Amino acid sequence: MGKNLTKRSEDYSKWYNELVVKADMAENSAVRGCMVIKPYGFAIWEKMQAELDRMFKETGHENAYFPLFVPKSLFEAEEKNAEGFAKECAVVTHYRLQNDPDKPGKLRVDPNAKLEEELVVRPTSEAIIWNTFKGWVQSYRDLPLLINQWANVVRWEMRTRLFLRTAEFLWQEGHTAHATEAEAIDEAKTMNGVYAQFAEEFMAMPVIQGVKTESERFAGAIETFCIEALMQDGKALQAGTSHFLGQNFAKAFDVKFATKEGKQEYVWATSWGVSTRLVGALIMSHSDDNGLVLPPKLAPIQVVIVPIYKGIEQLDAISEKVGPLVKELKAKGISVKFDNRDTHKPGFKFNEYELKGVPVRLAIGQRDLENGTYEVARRDTLAKETVPMDDVVAKIEFLLEDIQKNIYQKAHAFREDNITEVDTYEEFKKVLEEKGGFISAHWDGTNETEEKIKNETKATIRCIPLATENKEGKCIVTGKTSSKRVLFAKAY
Amino acid sequence: MGKNLTKRSEDYSKWYNELVVKADMAENSAVRGCMVIKPYGFAIWEKMQAELDRMFKETGHENAYFPLFVPKSLFEAEEKNAEGFAKECAVVTHYRLQNDPDKPGKLRVDPNAKLEEELVVRPTSEAIIWNTFKGWVQSYRDLPLLINQWANVVRWEMRTRLFLRTAEFLWQEGHTAHATEAEAIDEAKTMNGVYAQFAEEFMAMPVIQGVKTESERFAGAIETFCIEALMQDGKALQAGTSHFLGQNFAKAFDVKFATKEGKQEYVWATSWGVSTRLVGALIMSHSDDNGLVLPPKLAPIQVVIVPIYKGIEQLDAISEKVGPLVKELKAKGISVKFDNRDTHKPGFKFNEYELKGVPVRLAIGQRDLENGTYEVARRDTLAKETVPMDDVVAKIEFLLEDIQKNIYQKAHAFREDNITEVDTYEEFKKVLEEKGGFISAHWDGTNETEEKIKNETKATIRCIPLATENKEGKCIVTGKTSSKRVLFAKAY
Ligand SMILES: [Zn+2]
Ligand SMILES: [Zn+2]
């Protein structure tokens, strides 16, 4: 197959783009900024969905589905949210095409089929959902309302990259309504915690939980919680956000409830989401110059078995051994592929599965048959060993766990090595330039300083970490008092 | 709760609309023709998806995801398909809103953000997918290409009804490419068979497999296979279609492959889909004047347990008995809900679960506690009996199977009673008027006769059944020779 993958050290961004395409994850489409998610990439997204969906249900949420379109008058009801998304909205203005009288065989928009009110293709669903919630909430008995939606959304981004930023993307958006402020804040934190747990446990991607500064907050939120991860090139990636929305949407859509005491009060809201961007984060967290490295818990194929043979008789002998192994692995819930295609050579297959990040690869040839062994290779370290057939299932089970742990630890060590505390702006710029990663520094809490740093260095405040204790210091730019260090980075 | 459901015999259509809303399945939204699928309705769709997805994967298909938007120039490439959908397309013409200078706080479409080429919101994805397949298929080794997509689509229907016909709906669309005509026809038939199996086994809905006449065919298809079901009001419902597309799309998008012999040939195509319409079909197949009747295999809650008590002590005593039962049922994969809400009375709960079609209802009160029994009610027949606690798990397991079978048999018997053979047009009109259902009659095979019957009676040819043997006869309208009876009906 010949990978010819650009090295990360040469051009990280080019490496990423090539890898996504060569590993059959996704490709650009004929629609500006929209991608096609190919079966191999989609299988990873499906595995992510299955785990997240289970976690949402375990925390009491139910799925529902709301319209793709938002009438303009609803879209503009919550002013800040509308402002935040107005500049990147796909707008439906007509509902019919007709034959173009000037161009035989071509179609044009039918000028007589103009909508009275334009429809915005949802960039996020707060507006349409809160307009619906109005009918669902009358009394405290109807609360909390814990709803999730799996959907596609569209944001007309100017610069797009496969998985990381696309005009259309797939995501889930949770939307909840609560009787009290405290309960809503708790929900927003809980779901941010669920995201963190998912990222670390399944994606093997360490994340920092924090809150966003005002300028980085979701349009319409009072507080935005987030999980931030560090990519191998030293840039940060926002992997999920969870918003406490206060009563902004309840007021915009007049959603009130009768308390136990019979008073009418506005409900309190949250929303939270993760998207196919996670697939990009997964790729960038672990993969190497040979291709993808996937965590076993999300790998579409966990084990691949490649036969090395000459002639049909050798293949038959190998198949006889491999058949029962495949059956046994499947019974244990391990996804396994026996690649007995006669159209490709073993070397080609080795390359392909390395590129596609299959965690464990078994090879079996004539000598293995004679010795009763398999050659077992792990994708993360590329280490190989010869394993007796009797031990191979246990070995595979061990490796799937060990690879999951190992790539997490590697990513975690890298992240820890790349959080640098600095106390001066000079040092800040030097570290940002020479080392990258997260920079932990004091900031005076003003938009102005944040903006100045962003303009001068391209670094933004990724978050105010939840786990960091308060400890006074002086802002690296203005010298004013700061109660706590915050994390800066250049970001995706 | 007070169901106040219109009776089916009074107004079937009103009964359906009320039931969908009162059973919390779905509701109309602020967007014309688009519905909100509520959690209870969505849970049924999720169960359908899970089974179908498993069946698709077992038959070798993989999921992928393609853009929501289709550029107009791609949309119009396959002429018949474009013609078929042009009149009901939502069209995106702009990508930005701006503040309306005339109306403070309001937004308007930014006239400077007009797209160079309009984007059609996919009514179906053949165009965008075949434009992508062009890059995926070079050689016979790349075939067959067996792809499925779960997605939302939009067709600007003028008359809409919850689940049955909505402007936006959720569906799956399979799109496959093959080296030979025979293989593609076989695929289209196979997937129609998968739909039939799903409908009968999981939805407990008997269906007739057949092919569509030319006038009812999918736009761009050579042959459309379908499954047709009969609703309780005697109207037919098309529940799924599977199309053999010939080389139409391959030619429109220039998708060729090199054969083993090195020749360049166009590939052969199929597409096939079922949608949230199935939820409407499910409701209409089994439900009664008391509410939903759901097949156990698709019911979000299979068993509900309602405690009848006075005071917390009685509830505690009941909970102690119910706790282990719930655990045991869950361990068997049975979804069970213990409704111990103190805010609602047992009678209210009985009504609610009857309305929502929960297959098995257990009640337990003071006397049951003393006698060591449960009252067990089945939703399909409304029969109740008293069952010793020791036997209740076995009873539940029996009932879940028996209800699944029973509602299938009931629907099947109804369908068989409502297929009427007629040999004259007079008889045809009489049966259609007085009895409804499927009418099996000879037809001369021409569009003209089909059109005449449709215009005069509103009945259409639902399908030419695959299972019916050829047997000559005379067209009921023209008296010309016919090789086989076809099925007519008024349809949803
Ligand atoms: Zn953060
Ligand atoms: Zn049919």
Side-chain angles (χ1 to χ4, degrees):
Chain A
M1 144 172 282
K3 284 178 282 195
N4 290 328
L5 201 54
T6 295
K7 285 184 169 29
R8 286 166 295 170
S9 57
E10 273 171 37
D11 186 337
Y12 190 82
S13 171
K14 201 173 164 206
W15 164 82
Y16 174 80
N17 292 336
E18 284 180 10
L19 179 53
V20 169
V21 172
K22 290 191 182 213
D24 276 341
M25 298 287 281
E27 63 185 40
N28 286 308
S29 76
V31 188
R32 207 199 63 66
C34 293
M35 66 177 162
V36 171
I37 307 180
K38 298 182 79 172
Y40 196 65
F42 200 81
I44 294 174
W45 176 240
E46 279 185 307
K47 293 211 153 209
M48 289 179 164
Q49 282 190 293
E51 295 301 340
L52 285 165
D53 198 67
R54 179 185 54 71
M55 293 170 96
F56 299 157
K57 283 172 179 161
E58 280 172 9
T59 44
H61 302 85
E62 294 182 301
N63 289 330
Y65 188 77
F66 299 84
L68 170 68
F69 300 130
V70 186
K72 190 169 66 67
S73 58
L74 291 185
F75 183 79
E76 65 199 4
E78 208 293 321
E79 220 172 314
K80 276 190 189 165
N81 192 249
E83 246 180 62
F85 289 101
K87 282 174 198 147
E88 47 185 38
C89 280
V91 188
V92 174
T93 56
H94 292 74
Y95 58 85
R96 197 161 60 218
L97 296 171
Q98 62 177 192
N99 291 322
D100 189 334
D102 302 329
K103 296 177 193 156
K106 303 287 176 184
L107 298 168
R108 66 167 193 191
V109 171
D110 182 346
N112 293 322
K114 193 171 186 299
L115 291 168
E116 272 182 51
E117 181 178 11
E118 294 89 352
L119 298 173
V120 175
V121 180
R122 63 183 165 214
T124 181
S125 300
E126 277 78 4
I128 190 78
I129 287 181
W130 278 88
N131 184 61
T132 309
F133 278 3
K134 185 177 166 55
W136 293 4
V137 175
Q138 276 90 41
S139 130
Y140 70 95
R141 284 186 209 87
D142 303 321
L143 298 173
L145 192 54
L146 305 174
I147 301 294
N148 178 60
Q149 166 171 270
W150 291 97
N152 54 343
V153 286
V154 173
R155 298 177 185 175
W156 209 261
E157 305 276 1
M158 279 304 150
R159 269 174 242 149
T160 60
R161 288 187 72 187
L162 294 167
F163 288 116
L164 298 174
R165 191 178 298 275
T166 49
E168 182 192 10
F169 56 89
L170 302 181
W171 80 344
Q172 60 67 220
E173 44 183 325
H175 294 274
T176 70
H178 305 266
T180 67
E181 180 177 20
E183 191 184 295
I185 292 173
D186 196 49
E187 164 82 5
K189 276 187 194 168
T190 298
M191 298 321 290
N192 201 59
V194 164
Y195 290 155
Q197 192 195 335
F198 171 76
E200 303 201 332
E201 202 172 296
F202 291 90
M203 297 175 65
M205 181 176 79
V207 294
I208 292 167
Q209 293 195 55
V211 296
K212 287 286 182 191
T213 60
E214 196 194 336
S215 72
E216 298 275 335
R217 230 174 252 156
F218 178 73
I222 308 290
E223 186 89 284
T224 288
F225 298 88
C226 64
I227 55 170
E228 298 280 330
L230 191 64
M231 302 295 103
Q232 295 180 62
D233 62 346
K235 284 170 78 175
L237 184 142
Q238 173 181 305
T241 50
S242 181
H243 316 294
F244 167 58
L245 302 171
Q247 296 176 314
N248 292 346
F249 286 91
K251 285 177 181 166
F253 291 94
D254 195 33
V255 185
K256 289 179 188 167
F257 73 103
T259 65
K260 270 188 192 165
E261 296 75 29
K263 274 195 225 163
Q264 288 288 313
E265 285 183 9
Y266 286 112
V267 304
W268 299 86
T270 83
S271 68
W272 29 274
V274 294
S275 73
T276 35
R277 177 170 233 227
L278 287 180
V279 180
L282 186 74
I283 296 168
M284 289 206 299
S285 289
H286 308 298
S287 302
D288 63 24
D289 293 349
N290 296 305
L292 293 179
V293 174
L294 296 178
K297 287 189 183 179
L298 296 176
I301 304 167
Q302 294 176 307
V303 179
V304 67
I305 306 173
V306 177
I308 301 167
Y309 61 96
K310 282 191 190 125
I312 193 76
E313 266 180 38
Q314 282 189 13
L315 178 59
D316 282 349
I318 288 171
S319 300
E320 226 168 86
K321 286 287 175 195
V322 170
L325 174 61
V326 166
K327 220 171 156 183
E328 191 178 348
L329 292 174
K330 281 189 179 164
K332 286 176 177 285
I334 295 169
S335 73
V336 54
K337 178 175 174 178
F338 177 38
D339 184 354
N340 57 3
R341 285 179 298 171
D342 200 29
T343 43
H344 300 81
K345 299 230 183 285
F348 177 95
K349 294 177 185 176
F350 286 6
N351 254 329
E352 182 176 354
Y353 296 113
E354 210 164 274
L355 183 60
K356 289 195 164 179
V358 174
V360 176
R361 183 194 78 213
L362 270 58
I364 174 168
Q366 193 57 25
R367 183 167 309 170
D368 294 300
L369 268 186
E370 285 157 16
N371 298 341
T373 57
Y374 282 99
E375 183 199 74
V376 180
R378 56 188 288 170
R379 176 60 185 89
D380 57 343
T381 62
L382 300 175
K384 287 185 221 173
E385 59 184 308
T386 301
V387 177
M389 286 185 177
D390 283 350
D391 303 341
V392 80
V393 172
K395 185 75 191 180
I396 288 168
E397 287 183 301
F398 167 79
L399 282 177
L400 292 177
E401 278 189 36
D402 198 58
I403 294 170
Q404 184 81 29
K405 263 188 245 162
N406 181 53
I407 64 173
Y408 175 81
Q409 279 162 2
K410 195 176 161 194
H412 190 265
F414 175 79
R415 206 265 316 269
E416 293 303 294
D417 287 347
N418 286 283
I419 303 180
T420 312
E421 283 198 4
V422 306
D423 291 315
T424 68
Y425 196 28
E426 281 315 295
E427 214 188 333
F428 180 97
K429 287 188 245 184
K430 190 165 183 298
V431 170
L432 192 70
E433 196 60 37
E434 292 173 7
K435 182 180 177 187
F438 287 120
I439 304 184
S440 176
H442 282 288
W443 159 65
D444 64 13
T446 67
N447 283 340
E448 294 70 35
T449 304
E450 189 180 5
E451 188 74 12
K452 177 182 160 74
I453 295 173
K454 185 178 175 179
N455 290 338
E456 292 178 359
T457 69
K458 291 188 183 159
T460 50
I461 299 179
R462 299 320 304 153
C463 70
I464 306 164
L466 294 181
T468 308
E469 277 169 37
N470 284 357
K471 202 175 166 192
E472 277 210 0
K474 285 191 191 324
C475 174
I476 52 165
V477 173
T478 62
K480 288 185 193 155
T481 307
S482 146
S483 63
K484 192 174 173 174
R485 286 177 186 272
V486 300
L487 287 182
F488 290 85
K490 289 185 191 170
Y492 279 95
Chain B
M1 141 174 287
K3 284 179 283 195
N4 291 326
L5 201 55
T6 296
K7 284 185 170 31
R8 285 166 295 169
S9 55
E10 274 171 36
D11 187 337
Y12 190 81
S13 171
K14 201 172 165 206
W15 165 82
Y16 173 79
N17 292 335
E18 284 180 8
L19 179 53
V20 169
V21 172
K22 290 190 183 214
D24 277 340
M25 298 287 281
E27 63 185 40
N28 286 308
S29 77
V31 188
R32 207 198 64 67
C34 294
M35 67 176 163
V36 171
I37 308 180
K38 298 182 78 172
Y40 196 65
F42 199 82
I44 294 174
W45 177 240
E46 279 184 308
K47 292 210 155 212
M48 290 180 164
Q49 282 189 293
E51 296 301 341
L52 286 166
D53 198 68
R54 179 185 54 72
M55 293 170 95
F56 299 157
K57 283 173 179 161
E58 280 172 10
T59 44
H61 302 84
E62 293 182 301
N63 289 330
Y65 189 77
F66 299 85
L68 170 67
F69 300 129
V70 186
K72 190 169 67 65
S73 58
L74 290 185
F75 184 79
E76 65 199 7
E78 207 294 320
E79 221 172 312
K80 277 191 187 163
N81 191 248
E83 246 180 63
F85 289 102
K87 281 173 199 149
E88 48 185 39
C89 280
V91 187
V92 174
T93 56
H94 292 74
Y95 58 85
R96 196 161 61 216
L97 297 172
Q98 62 177 192
N99 291 321
D100 189 333
D102 303 329
K103 297 176 193 159
K106 304 287 177 187
L107 298 169
R108 67 167 192 190
V109 172
D110 182 345
N112 294 321
K114 194 169 186 302
L115 290 168
E116 270 181 53
E117 181 178 11
E118 294 89 353
L119 298 173
V120 175
V121 180
R122 62 181 165 216
T124 181
S125 300
E126 277 78 4
I128 189 78
I129 287 180
W130 277 88
N131 185 61
T132 309
F133 278 3
K134 185 176 165 56
W136 294 4
V137 175
Q138 274 91 40
S139 131
Y140 70 93
R141 285 185 207 86
D142 303 321
L143 298 173
L145 192 53
L146 304 173
I147 301 293
N148 178 60
Q149 166 171 271
W150 291 96
N152 54 342
V153 286
V154 172
R155 298 177 185 175
W156 209 262
E157 304 276 1
M158 279 304 148
R159 269 174 244 151
T160 61
R161 287 187 73 187
L162 293 166
F163 288 116
L164 297 174
R165 193 177 295 276
T166 49
E168 182 192 10
F169 58 89
L170 303 182
W171 78 344
Q172 61 68 219
E173 45 183 324
H175 295 274
T176 69
H178 305 264
T180 68
E181 179 176 22
E183 191 185 296
I185 293 173
D186 194 51
E187 163 81 5
K189 277 187 192 167
T190 298
M191 297 321 289
N192 200 58
V194 165
Y195 291 155
Q197 192 196 336
F198 171 76
E200 304 203 330
E201 201 174 298
F202 291 92
M203 298 175 64
M205 182 175 81
V207 293
I208 292 167
Q209 293 194 56
V211 297
K212 289 286 181 191
T213 60
E214 195 194 336
S215 73
E216 299 276 333
R217 231 175 253 156
F218 178 72
I222 307 290
E223 185 90 281
T224 288
F225 298 89
C226 63
I227 56 170
E228 299 279 329
L230 191 64
M231 302 296 103
Q232 294 179 62
D233 62 345
K235 283 170 78 175
L237 185 142
Q238 173 181 306
T241 49
S242 181
H243 317 293
F244 168 58
L245 302 171
Q247 295 176 315
N248 292 346
F249 286 91
K251 285 178 181 166
F253 292 94
D254 195 33
V255 185
K256 289 181 188 165
F257 72 104
T259 65
K260 269 188 193 164
E261 297 74 30
K263 275 195 227 162
Q264 288 289 312
E265 286 183 7
Y266 287 111
V267 304
W268 299 85
T270 83
S271 68
W272 29 275
V274 293
S275 73
T276 36
R277 176 169 234 226
L278 287 181
V279 180
L282 185 74
I283 296 168
M284 290 206 301
S285 289
H286 308 299
S287 302
D288 63 24
D289 292 348
N290 297 304
L292 294 178
V293 174
L294 296 178
K297 286 189 184 178
L298 296 176
I301 304 168
Q302 294 176 308
V303 179
V304 67
I305 307 174
V306 177
I308 301 166
Y309 61 95
K310 283 189 188 127
I312 191 77
E313 266 179 38
Q314 282 190 13
L315 178 59
D316 282 349
I318 289 170
S319 300
E320 228 168 86
K321 286 285 175 197
V322 170
L325 174 62
V326 166
K327 223 170 152 181
E328 191 177 348
L329 292 173
K330 280 188 179 164
K332 285 175 178 288
I334 295 169
S335 73
V336 53
K337 178 176 173 176
F338 177 37
D339 184 354
N340 58 2
R341 283 179 300 168
D342 201 28
T343 43
H344 299 82
K345 299 227 184 288
F348 177 95
K349 293 177 185 176
F350 287 5
N351 254 328
E352 182 175 355
Y353 296 114
E354 211 165 275
L355 183 60
K356 290 195 164 181
V358 175
V360 176
R361 184 194 76 211
L362 269 58
I364 174 167
Q366 194 57 28
R367 184 166 307 169
D368 294 300
L369 267 187
E370 284 157 17
N371 298 342
T373 58
Y374 283 100
E375 184 199 73
V376 179
R378 57 188 288 171
R379 177 62 185 87
D380 57 343
T381 62
L382 299 175
K384 285 184 224 174
E385 59 183 309
T386 300
V387 177
M389 285 184 178
D390 283 351
D391 303 341
V392 81
V393 171
K395 185 75 192 179
I396 288 168
E397 287 182 302
F398 167 79
L399 283 177
L400 293 177
E401 278 189 34
D402 198 58
I403 294 170
Q404 184 82 29
K405 263 188 245 163
N406 181 51
I407 64 174
Y408 175 81
Q409 279 162 1
K410 196 176 160 194
H412 189 265
F414 175 80
R415 205 266 316 269
E416 293 303 294
D417 285 348
N418 286 281
I419 302 179
T420 313
E421 284 199 1
V422 306
D423 292 314
T424 69
Y425 196 28
E426 281 314 297
E427 213 188 334
F428 180 96
K429 287 189 244 182
K430 190 165 184 294
V431 170
L432 192 68
E433 196 60 37
E434 294 173 6
K435 182 180 177 188
F438 287 118
I439 304 182
S440 176
H442 282 288
W443 158 66
D444 65 13
T446 67
N447 282 341
E448 294 69 37
T449 304
E450 189 181 5
E451 188 74 12
K452 177 182 160 74
I453 295 173
K454 184 179 176 179
N455 291 338
E456 292 178 357
T457 70
K458 291 186 182 159
T460 50
I461 300 178
R462 299 320 304 152
C463 69
I464 306 163
L466 293 181
T468 308
E469 275 169 37
N470 284 359
K471 201 175 166 192
E472 275 211 0
K474 284 190 193 320
C475 175
I476 52 165
V477 173
T478 62
K480 288 186 193 154
T481 306
S482 145
S483 63
K484 191 174 172 174
R485 287 179 186 272
V486 301
L487 287 182
F488 290 85
K490 290 186 189 168
Y492 279 95

